[in-house]
Amino acid sequence: MRIVGYFGEVQSIDEVVPRPLAEVTLNASSDELRDLADFLRDCAAEMDDQPERQAHWHLADRFKRFQDAPHFVVFHVPDCKPG
């Protein structure tokens, strides 16, 4: 697993340069954590169903309550080596 991210506001997709993160800290309610867990399980299930498909999923697309939160994206690249 790789964890990457970027800081601040982005004006265009061309400005996005993900950087490796050493740690992720979530300050969330128990309901938000349950939604996140459901989201991650759904992503894993879709990866299992179509392992050869490159895809990405946005938490805010599944749960509108996260529309104004920092973006949380799961990205799947088939045959990508972890690390």
Side-chain angles (χ1 to χ4, degrees):
M1 175 169 50
R2 291 184 58 223
I3 300 173
V4 298
Y6 58 90
F7 297 97
E9 295 295 319
V10 175
Q11 300 301 318
S12 75
I13 193 67
D14 296 330
E15 296 178 47
V16 176
V17 180
R19 306 236 190 271
L21 301 177
E23 179 178 309
V24 174
T25 303
L26 300 175
N27 180 6
S29 70
S30 58
D31 285 340
E32 289 171 323
L33 290 176
R34 284 185 197 88
D35 284 348
L36 181 59
D38 290 344
F39 170 71
L40 292 172
R41 272 191 290 275
D42 290 347
C43 292
E46 290 185 38
M47 285 181 198
D48 289 343
D49 289 345
Q50 297 181 7
E52 69 288 338
R53 179 177 168 245
Q54 180 173 320
H56 70 280
W57 301 269
H58 296 260
L59 178 64
D61 289 345
R62 302 278 173 100
F63 296 96
K64 298 306 178 194
R65 70 189 287 172
F66 293 106
Q67 286 289 328
D68 295 326
H71 294 242
F72 190 96
V73 180
V74 172
F75 189 71
H76 176 245
V77 177
D79 301 323
C80 182
K81 305 292 183 233

